[in-house]
């Protein structure tokens, strides 16, 4: 009991003054702590003269010294690491140069050019078939394998010549009745076989594989699969072209020095040139036109090794070769491949690309010839479907031509397309490939051309869709905008097929939102509802409907305006599938949180968003992932925070009550509601300046009641504990003393339920540290809580100590004693005449008891119990394995006495000396800590009324670890 009977009397005001930092006048000038730091580049010169210091010259005139640069002495370790790990310097010269060259070649066209690779996946997904396919596989013979090192050179040459004679008559195996997936797998096997043959030095076998694959491109028996087949086969051709080029390039290395990036044919050695010519001669001996064309096109880049003009001479010849291909579909894809290779190796040779396209225009009428028509009849393919097969090829050719092309050339090509009959296919590709600004500026011209197209060929709605895609990227002339929309929508609204309709409408919704008011948007949405509701057509169009919603909320992000669009909510009703409906609701809520700058009380917005949030909430079930729950809760919380009824606090509380009933399954939302209601109570207190009227007092009690009945529904025990404490503090601040007591009692009664392990971020952790933190916060609050007149002195503190005593602590844990030590801090503060802090308009125990001796006697009894518990525990730690814990706790208790005890009392002084010695007794004390503690005591001894610390310091020896 002597601890608190001799607790140090505190004058908190004077202590605060003593502990204040010394204020020094500072001329800030332009300096501001939040201003970005200017990082200065320091150049350090080391002087050779004896005694000289390094002088630093800065390239910046800023007065701010960068703390990171200043310690580096001019050397940046990251730069040193980067230099040490530079692949160009560490890798062999050949690899480094090749990597750099590949980068340069890939950037021959700018990043604004859409590469073929981005179209590949779309083509494979769009052009599919359920019909059976066939494929001829090359079966390599033993004589095609590489000879051993011991073989005679003449034998190798003779074998190669025999293989060349047999180049196209190699052993083949025809596989029939393949599904599309089987076919794709076989093509992939061929690609791998090519790489394997090449790596095992079977170059002729690799060439045979490429030839056989190229022959497949002349087969149009399953015509609707042809675009996808083209993609798969040309992947193999690209692989072959790269292998040949890299092989010849590797032969140009002289003394481990590779060719420069822009090498000239003169710098290529004779061996490499001979090998390159050999490849071209091999390919020239291929009898069939299509494989000969494709394989030569694949190694077009190798002409760089032979002559400067090789590529520019080959492109026109290859373009002319395509004229010999009779099937217009096969021919147009051959032209597309030539354009593709041409753009990679010589994008500057646009004349050949233009010639390629004009050749195509000359043969365009073949598409409607008898040969093609007969083929379509045999395969039961309609003309509109057949024409769409041309789109990827023509789109690519036009994209290559239109890249950075002047408007004059684009206009000329447009005029040429106009002169052709049945030109809808071309017109669609022109709109897909040309710059959006070019198309948008001539929108009315294109609409006129679309009207003149033959409906029986290429569907007009696809043309309007292509036009709409351009108008989403570039704006047409302002005077034409309404007329363009009317002309397009006349055609779109007449479409009977829901899928065709929605594909078009989805594109034109963006144009409508960009340029028109909510009236036009409402009309468009109404038309979509009208077309998609019959026979539940919307069920097959969820992606397009989602896209429409996304576009509407992108352009109309004023939610008062959005919800005044009459057909917006009926449009949402079409999302009947729950997963899709929830995704749409999430999009809307994300847009609201992103764009809503000010809080709202608009009933239209509130009702609509409550409905949307309820939809999200109701999708939560036992299978919902925790991440998904967190995301939904965050969106709903974002909405709740944006709702404000101003000074109408009762209406605000009613909204929170309604929200609680709607979102009861999402715990983070309930937590947010409790915080919001507590904030509402404190806002009421602020408005009333702490002087509640009868009405506001009743309102605050209603807020407190809301929290009290909501907290038990939460599952996380520490969330409940912290909310009980927080809500109790709010009740106390609003003079609701009995309600505050109820919160604190609930918190006390909940402590025994804290489990030993709790889940934190999905991992199980011991709960001791969390409980210790909570209890320390709780003690700080209990200082200002006045005693209940009917419950006895310090009834809450006693109740909490009983709970701590009965709680089952871990055997190797000292948290219980640390808590008891913190209780001594609380009891010491309670013995002061005036507490360190108070709650405004609430009388704490210092005012109620006025330092009454009975009150102090009760505190002394409590402290006696607590101190005896601490000392008993220190005794139990006397075993060898727990001596380190004993040392730490002894020092912890010593510091408590030092801060809160009156050390003029001899017994307390002796206790502190005993604890100091115990902390050092077995050599586990941290010497630095002990030295600093002793220095602190000596400094304190120089302060007024602290002279007794001088004697104490003399009684505290420092023991070395030895």
């Amino acid at each position: 009991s002597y601890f608190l009977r001799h607790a140090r009397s505190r004058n908190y005001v004077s202590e605060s003054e003593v502990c204040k930092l010394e204020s020094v006048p500072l001329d800030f000038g332009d300096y501001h702590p939040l201003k970005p730091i200017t990082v200065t580049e320091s150049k350090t010169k080391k002087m050779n003269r004896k005694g000289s210091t390094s002088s630093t010259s800065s390239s910046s005139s800023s007065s701010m010294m960068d703390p990171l640069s200043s310690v580096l002495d001019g050397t940046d370790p990251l730069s040193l690491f980067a230099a040490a790990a530079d692949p160009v310097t560490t890798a062999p010269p050949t690899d480094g140069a090749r990597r750099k060259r590949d980068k340069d070649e890939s950037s021959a066209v700018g990043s604004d050019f859409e590469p073929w690779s981005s179209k590949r996946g779309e083509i494979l997904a769009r052009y599919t078939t359920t019909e059976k396919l066939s494929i001829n596989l090359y079966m390599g013979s033993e004589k095609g394998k590489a000879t051993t090192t011991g073989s005679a050179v003449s034998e190798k040459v003779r074998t190669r010549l025999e293989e060349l004679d047999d180049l196209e008559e190699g052993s083949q195996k025809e596989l029939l009745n393949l599904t599309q997936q089987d076919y794709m797998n076989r093509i992939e096997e061929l690609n791998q076989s090519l790489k394997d043959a090449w790596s095992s030095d079977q170059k002729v076998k690799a060439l045979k594989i490429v030839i056989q694959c190229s022959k497949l491109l002349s087969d149009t028996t399953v015509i609707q699969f042809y675009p996808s087949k083209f993609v798969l086969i040309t992947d193999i051709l690209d692989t072959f072209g790269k292998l040949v080029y890299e092989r010849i390039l590797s032969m140009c290395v002289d003394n481990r020095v590779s060719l420069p990036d822009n090498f000239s044919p003169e710098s290529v050695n004779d061996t490499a040139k001979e090998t390159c010519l050999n490849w071209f001669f091999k390919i020239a001996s291929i009898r069939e036109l299509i494989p000969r064309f494709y394989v030569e096109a694949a190694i077009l880049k190798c002409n760089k090794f032979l002559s400067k003009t090789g590529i520019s001479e080959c492109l026109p010849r290859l373009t002319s070769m395509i004229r010999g291909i009779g099937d217009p579909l096969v021919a147009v894809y051959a032209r597309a491949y030539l354009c593709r290779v041409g753009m990679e190796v010589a994008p500057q040779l646009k004349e050949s690309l233009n010639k390629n396209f004009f050749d195509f225009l000359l043969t365009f009428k073949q598409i409607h010839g008898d040969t093609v028509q007969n083929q379509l009849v045999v395969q039961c393919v309609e003309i509109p479907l057949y024409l769409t097969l041309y789109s990827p090829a023509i789109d690519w050719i036009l994209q290559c031509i239109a890249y950075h092309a002047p408007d004059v050339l684009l206009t000329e090509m447009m005029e040429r397309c106009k002169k052709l009959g049945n030109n809808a296919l071309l017109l669609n590709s022109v709109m897909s490939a040309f710059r959006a600004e070019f198309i948008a500026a001539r929108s009315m011209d294109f609409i006129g051309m679309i009207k003149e197209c033959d409906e029986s060929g290429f569907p007009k709605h696809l043309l309007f869709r292509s036009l709409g895609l351009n108008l989403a990227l570039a704006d047409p002339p302002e005077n034409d905008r309404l007329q363009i929309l009317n002309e397009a929508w006349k055609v779109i609204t007449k479409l009977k097929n829901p899928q065709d309709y929605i594909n078009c409408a989805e594109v034109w919704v963006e144009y409508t939102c960009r340029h028109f008011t909510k009236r036009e948007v409402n009309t468009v949405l109404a038309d979509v509802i009208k077309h998609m509701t019959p026979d539940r057509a919307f069920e097959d169009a969820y992606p397009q409907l989602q896209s429409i919603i996304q576009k509407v909320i992108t352009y109309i992000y004023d939610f008062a305006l959005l919800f005044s669009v009459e057909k917006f909510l009926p449009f949402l009703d079409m999302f009947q599938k729950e997963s899709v409906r929830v995704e749409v609701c999430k999009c809307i809520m994300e847009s609201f949180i992103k764009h809503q700058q000010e809080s709202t009380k608009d009933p239209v917005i509130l009702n609509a968003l409550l409905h949307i949030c309820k939809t999200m909430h109701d999708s939560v079930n036992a299978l919902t992932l925790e991440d998904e729950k967190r995301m939904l809760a965050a969106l709903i919380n974002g909405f709740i925070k944006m709702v404000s009824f101003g000074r109408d606090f009762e209406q605000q509380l009613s909204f929170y009550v309604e929200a609680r009933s709607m979102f009861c399954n999402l715990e983070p939302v309930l937590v947010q509601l409790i915080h919001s209601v507590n904030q509402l109570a404190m806002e009421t207190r602020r408005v009333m300046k702490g002087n509640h009227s009868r009405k506001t007092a009743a309102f605050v009690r209603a807020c407190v009641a809301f929290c009290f009945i909501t907290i038990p529904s939460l599952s996380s025990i520490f969330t409940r504990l912290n909310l009980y404490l927080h809500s109790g503090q709010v009740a106390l601040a609003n003079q609701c003393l009995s309600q505050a007591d109820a919160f604190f009692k609930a918190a006390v009664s909940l402590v025994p339920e804290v489990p030993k392990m709790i889940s934190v971020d999905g991992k199980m952790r011991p709960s001791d540290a969390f409980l210790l933190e909570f209890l320390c916060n709780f003690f700080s609050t209990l200082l200002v809580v006045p005693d209940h007149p009917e419950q006895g002195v310090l009834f809450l503190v006693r109740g909490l100590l009983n709970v701590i005593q009965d709680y089952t602590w871990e055997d190797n844990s000292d948290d219980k004693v640390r808590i008891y030590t913190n209780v001594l801090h609380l009891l010491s503060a309670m013995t002061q005449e005036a507490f360190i802090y108070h709650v405004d308009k609430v009388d704490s125990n210092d005012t109620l008891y006025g330092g009454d001796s009975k009150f102090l006697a009760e505190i002394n009894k409590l402290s006696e119990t607590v101190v005896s518990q601490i000392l008993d525990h220190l005794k139990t730690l006397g075993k060898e394995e727990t001596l380190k814990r004993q040392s730490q706790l002894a020092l912890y208790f010593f510091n408590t006495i030092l801060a809160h005890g009156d050390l003029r009392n001899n017994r307390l002084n002796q206790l502190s000396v005993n604890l100091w010695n115990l902390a050092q007794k077995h050599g586990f004390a941290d010497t630095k800590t002990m030295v600093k503690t002793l220095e602190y005591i000596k400094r304190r001894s120089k302060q007024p009324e602290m002279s007794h610390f001088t004697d104490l310091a003399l009684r505290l020896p420092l023991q070395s670890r030895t």
Side-chain angles (χ1 to χ4, degrees):
S1 64
Y2 49 80
F3 174 78
L4 288 178
R5 196 173 297 146
H6 299 285
R8 185 162 65 87
S9 297
R10 309 286 290 272
N11 185 331
Y12 293 117
V13 177
S14 61
E15 283 186 36
S16 175
E17 288 297 325
V18 170
C19 294
K20 265 186 185 173
L21 293 173
E22 184 182 355
S23 58
V24 178
L26 180 63
D27 181 18
F28 282 100
D30 292 334
Y31 169 73
H32 187 278
L34 298 182
K35 197 174 182 181
I37 291 177
T38 305
V39 178
T40 58
E41 181 185 357
S42 299
K43 298 176 183 174
T44 308
K45 295 179 182 176
K46 299 284 185 184
M47 307 301 287
N48 293 327
R49 292 192 310 275
K50 187 178 179 182
S52 66
T53 58
S54 59
S55 63
T56 304
S57 62
S58 173
S59 60
S60 169
S61 60
S62 170
S63 59
M64 284 288 299
M65 170 55 75
D66 172 25
L68 297 180
S69 298
S70 62
V71 297
L72 295 177
D73 197 26
T75 57
D76 171 14
L78 295 182
S79 300
L80 294 176
F81 293 150
D86 188 349
V88 176
T89 56
T90 56
T94 311
D95 295 341
R98 183 178 301 143
R99 198 176 296 119
K100 191 169 188 297
R101 186 180 293 109
D102 287 345
K103 183 181 176 185
D104 291 343
E105 284 163 358
S106 66
S107 60
V109 290
S111 58
D112 55 339
F113 183 81
E114 186 182 3
W116 173 259
S117 56
S118 67
K119 298 177 180 292
R120 184 182 179 280
E122 184 187 343
I123 295 171
L124 289 173
R126 182 178 174 191
Y127 298 97
T128 58
T129 182
T130 54
E131 294 188 34
K132 297 300 180 184
L133 303 158
S134 63
I135 187 172
N136 289 321
L137 285 180
Y138 167 71
M139 307 299 290
S141 60
E142 287 302 313
K143 66 182 180 180
K145 293 190 177 177
T147 57
T148 61
T149 53
S151 303
V153 175
S154 59
E155 178 65 22
K156 185 175 181 180
V157 171
R158 186 173 63 79
T159 306
R160 286 287 172 87
L161 289 172
E162 287 176 4
E163 287 176 337
L164 286 174
D165 289 337
D166 192 35
L167 200 57
E168 295 180 85
E169 287 79 27
S171 173
Q172 295 181 31
K173 178 183 177 184
E174 186 173 17
L175 299 176
L176 303 171
N177 297 324
L178 298 175
T179 63
Q180 179 182 321
Q181 189 57 50
D182 291 338
Y183 188 92
M184 294 170 76
N185 292 342
R186 294 293 180 185
I187 295 290
E188 183 53 43
E189 285 173 19
L190 282 172
N191 202 353
Q192 191 57 47
S193 299
L194 167 66
K195 294 174 184 174
D196 293 343
W198 191 273
S199 62
S200 59
D201 204 31
Q202 300 179 64
K203 304 294 188 291
V204 174
K205 179 182 176 182
L207 180 58
K208 284 184 176 183
I209 291 172
V210 174
I211 292 169
Q212 294 300 330
C213 289
S214 303
K215 284 183 178 180
L216 295 174
L217 290 173
S218 61
D219 174 25
T220 57
T221 48
V222 184
I223 204 163
Q224 62 267 39
F225 185 64
Y226 191 84
S228 290
K229 184 198 290 188
F230 171 80
V231 167
L232 297 169
I233 301 296
T234 52
D235 282 351
I236 295 177
L237 288 164
D238 291 342
T239 302
F240 177 71
K242 188 176 180 183
L243 289 171
V244 173
Y245 183 83
E246 294 289 349
R247 164 75 176 146
I248 299 170
L249 188 65
S250 67
M251 299 172 75
C252 300
V253 177
D254 187 22
N255 295 326
R256 293 189 62 79
V257 177
S258 61
L259 288 176
D261 295 334
N262 298 315
F263 65 87
S264 63
E266 290 77 23
S267 57
V268 178
N269 60 44
D270 292 340
T271 308
K273 282 186 177 179
E274 187 180 344
T275 305
C276 187
L277 275 170
N278 188 27
W279 276 110
F280 280 110
F281 290 151
K282 283 179 188 176
I283 293 164
S285 68
I286 300 172
R287 296 191 190 108
E288 291 186 30
L289 171 62
I290 289 176
R292 186 166 75 248
F293 163 79
Y294 272 107
V295 180
E296 184 175 352
I299 67 164
L300 181 66
K301 189 177 178 182
C302 294
N303 279 286
K304 289 170 66 176
F305 297 108
L306 300 176
S307 71
K308 288 182 178 178
T309 58
I311 293 175
S312 59
E313 289 168 1
C314 278
L315 276 173
R317 179 171 57 77
L318 290 170
T319 302
S320 300
M321 281 173 67
I322 299 172
R323 295 176 183 175
I325 300 176
D327 190 313
L329 185 65
V330 177
V332 79
Y333 275 94
R335 295 184 193 283
Y337 188 67
L338 189 59
C339 283
R340 182 169 136 199
V341 175
M343 284 301 282
E344 285 177 14
V345 301
Q348 70 280 6
L349 299 176
K350 282 292 188 70
E351 297 79 9
S352 298
L353 301 181
N354 297 346
K355 182 174 181 282
N356 196 354
F357 181 68
F358 293 140
D359 267 11
F360 167 68
L361 292 183
L362 291 172
T363 58
F364 184 69
K365 58 180 179 291
Q366 281 183 296
I367 292 175
H368 302 284
D370 292 341
T371 309
V372 172
Q373 298 298 327
N374 294 338
Q375 186 185 16
L376 297 183
V377 170
V378 170
Q379 295 201 33
C380 304
V381 175
E382 299 288 334
I383 268 285
L385 174 61
Y386 175 69
L387 291 178
T388 59
L389 301 178
Y390 284 80
S391 292
I394 301 175
D395 288 356
W396 179 257
I397 294 169
L398 284 169
Q399 180 185 325
C400 294
I401 293 169
Y403 182 65
H404 289 178
D407 282 3
V408 178
L409 176 64
L410 301 182
T411 307
E412 180 195 346
M413 295 176 68
M414 197 171 115
E415 291 302 322
R416 288 207 183 194
C417 293
K418 269 187 187 178
K419 292 173 184 174
L420 292 170
N422 295 328
N423 64 347
L425 172 63
L426 281 175
L427 190 59
N428 189 62
S429 293
V430 164
M431 288 190 288
S432 299
F434 283 15
R435 291 192 299 275
E437 294 79 11
F438 179 88
I439 304 294
R442 298 161 180 78
S443 298
M444 291 309 298
D445 293 343
F446 277 97
I447 285 177
M449 292 164 67
I450 292 171
K451 283 182 175 178
E452 292 169 12
C453 286
D454 182 8
E455 183 68 53
S456 63
F458 198 88
K460 278 189 182 179
H461 67 85
L462 291 182
L463 296 174
F464 273 109
R465 186 177 192 277
S466 298
L467 179 60
L469 287 170
N470 281 287
L471 296 181
L473 299 172
D475 298 336
E478 195 167 343
N479 296 334
D480 295 340
R481 288 175 185 174
L482 184 57
Q483 189 180 354
I484 291 169
L485 180 61
N486 288 335
E487 292 290 346
W489 209 259
K490 274 182 202 170
V491 176
I492 296 169
T493 196
K494 288 177 184 174
L495 292 173
K496 298 286 186 276
N497 184 314
Q499 208 59 41
D500 291 343
Y501 171 84
I502 197 63
N503 284 336
C504 267
E506 173 204 355
V507 172
W508 281 89
V509 162
E510 183 164 2
Y511 174 77
T512 311
C513 293
R514 269 169 74 102
H515 300 299
F516 299 99
T517 63
K518 71 169 190 177
R519 179 172 159 271
E520 287 79 9
V521 174
N522 191 58
T523 305
V524 169
L525 293 182
D527 196 59
V528 174
I529 293 169
K530 178 183 165 187
H531 277 78
M532 301 308 293
T533 306
D535 302 323
R536 298 177 70 83
F538 53 76
E539 290 182 345
D540 299 320
Y542 284 137
Q544 293 92 330
L545 294 174
Q546 275 182 272
S547 174
I548 288 174
I549 286 288
Q550 190 66 58
K551 286 166 182 171
V552 170
I553 61 178
T554 298
Y555 289 99
I556 309 178
Y557 43 78
D558 178 351
F559 275 72
L561 182 62
L562 179 65
F563 290 125
S564 67
V565 176
E566 189 183 338
K567 294 295 179 181
F568 182 74
L569 290 177
F571 190 92
L572 291 182
D573 291 338
M574 285 197 291
F575 295 98
Q576 302 279 310
K577 188 177 178 183
E578 185 178 68
S579 59
V580 181
R581 188 166 70 243
V582 171
E583 284 303 314
V584 171
C585 291
K586 280 158 69 174
C587 277
I588 294 170
M589 291 311 302
E590 283 167 4
S591 176
F592 176 78
I593 292 167
K594 180 181 177 182
H595 293 110
Q596 188 72 21
Q597 300 296 325
E598 298 176 354
S599 54
T600 182
K601 61 176 180 179
D602 186 325
V604 175
I605 295 178
L606 296 189
N607 288 330
L609 291 183
L610 274 173
H611 171 70
I612 288 168
C613 289
K614 180 81 167 101
T615 301
M616 294 194 301
H617 168 270
D618 292 349
S619 70
V620 174
N621 55 40
L623 300 177
T624 306
L625 297 173
E626 286 302 317
D627 282 350
E628 177 72 4
K629 286 183 186 177
R630 266 196 293 273
M631 181 187 289
L632 295 177
L635 292 172
I636 295 172
N637 285 344
F639 162 60
I640 289 170
K641 290 175 189 174
M642 293 305 298
V643 177
S644 173
F645 290 88
R647 285 291 185 88
D648 191 348
F649 292 163
E650 290 185 355
Q651 184 68 34
Q652 189 83 36
L653 182 60
S654 298
F655 169 77
Y656 291 144
V657 170
E658 184 182 0
R660 180 179 62 185
S661 66
M662 294 176 80
F663 309 127
C664 54
N665 289 334
L666 287 172
E667 191 159 304
V669 179
L670 295 179
V671 172
Q672 177 58 46
L673 287 170
I674 292 167
H675 284 307
S676 296
V677 171
N678 277 329
Q679 191 175 353
L680 186 62
M682 294 306 290
E683 182 65 15
T684 308
R685 177 182 182 276
R686 187 187 66 78
V687 170
M688 299 303 293
K689 297 179 181 175
N691 298 310
H692 284 299
S693 65
R694 183 178 295 177
K695 183 178 180 181
T696 59
F699 174 75
V700 166
R701 284 195 293 273
C703 292
V704 169
F706 175 100
C707 298
F708 192 74
I709 62 174
T710 307
I711 293 172
S713 63
L714 304 176
S715 61
S716 167
I717 193 156
F718 278 102
T719 303
R720 275 186 280 161
L721 282 170
N722 286 312
L723 284 174
Y724 274 134
L725 178 57
H726 180 62
S727 302
Q729 290 166 345
V730 170
L732 197 62
N734 283 283
Q735 300 123 51
C736 301
L737 301 185
S738 59
Q739 286 85 352
D741 279 351
F743 279 116
F744 298 140
K745 282 181 186 174
V748 170
S749 62
L750 194 59
V751 169
E753 296 177 25
V754 174
K756 295 288 171 290
M757 306 290 286
I758 57 169
S759 176
V760 180
D761 296 330
K763 295 179 182 177
M764 298 306 291
R765 306 271 190 215
S767 63
D768 293 3
F770 297 95
L771 184 57
L772 181 62
E773 181 188 2
F774 167 76
L775 290 173
C776 288
N777 289 336
F778 200 1
F779 294 146
S780 301
T781 302
L782 289 179
L783 174 64
V784 292
V785 177
D787 281 343
H788 193 284
E790 298 173 5
Q791 299 283 355
V793 178
L794 302 180
F795 75 103
L796 282 173
V797 177
R798 289 175 189 278
L800 189 53
L801 284 174
N802 290 336
V803 166
I804 294 167
Q805 176 65 30
D806 296 338
Y807 187 79
T808 309
W809 299 90
E810 293 290 335
D811 292 338
N812 60 349
S813 168
D814 298 319
D815 288 329
K816 181 177 181 180
V817 175
R818 292 182 185 279
I819 290 168
Y820 280 149
T821 310
N822 284 319
V823 170
L824 289 179
H825 302 170
L826 168 65
L827 295 175
S828 172
M830 283 182 163
T831 61
Q832 305 302 318
E833 287 185 18
F835 291 171
I836 187 171
Y837 48 82
H838 294 87
V839 176
D840 189 33
K841 296 188 172 55
V842 174
D843 290 334
S844 297
N845 286 340
D846 57 341
T847 306
L848 295 178
Y849 292 108
D852 184 76
S853 57
K854 290 181 181 178
F855 173 65
L856 295 176
E858 288 293 332
I859 294 177
N860 282 332
K861 281 184 189 175
L862 275 179
S863 69
E864 184 178 353
T865 307
V866 171
V867 169
S868 64
Q869 290 274 355
I870 294 172
L871 296 176
D872 288 347
H873 186 77
L874 281 172
K875 288 175 187 174
T876 63
L877 297 178
K879 298 172 187 172
E880 188 175 349
E881 64 272 14
T882 55
L883 290 176
K884 185 174 182 180
R885 285 166 53 196
Q886 185 189 54
S887 170
Q888 291 170 342
L889 279 181
L891 185 60
Y892 188 59
F893 190 25
F894 171 82
N895 286 329
T896 295
I897 294 175
L898 197 63
H900 299 281
D902 185 354
L903 292 171
R904 286 173 293 198
N905 175 265
N906 291 335
R907 290 180 64 193
L908 199 55
N909 198 305
Q910 185 58 48
L911 176 61
S912 65
V913 171
N914 292 344
L915 288 169
W916 176 270
N917 292 331
L918 182 61
Q920 297 185 102
K921 186 174 181 181
H922 300 285
F924 286 105
D926 179 46
T927 309
K928 282 185 182 179
T929 306
M930 304 302 281
V931 169
K932 286 183 178 179
T933 305
L934 195 55
E935 287 174 358
Y936 166 77
I937 294 170
K938 289 174 181 176
R939 278 201 311 273
R940 287 289 304 275
S941 67
K942 296 173 184 176
Q943 294 177 6
E945 300 181 13
M946 289 292 176
S947 56
H948 57 282
F949 269 40
T950 306
D951 298 331
L952 176 65
L954 296 173
R955 299 180 64 200
L956 300 178
L958 277 175
Q959 295 177 5
S960 66
R961 285 181 178 272
T962 56

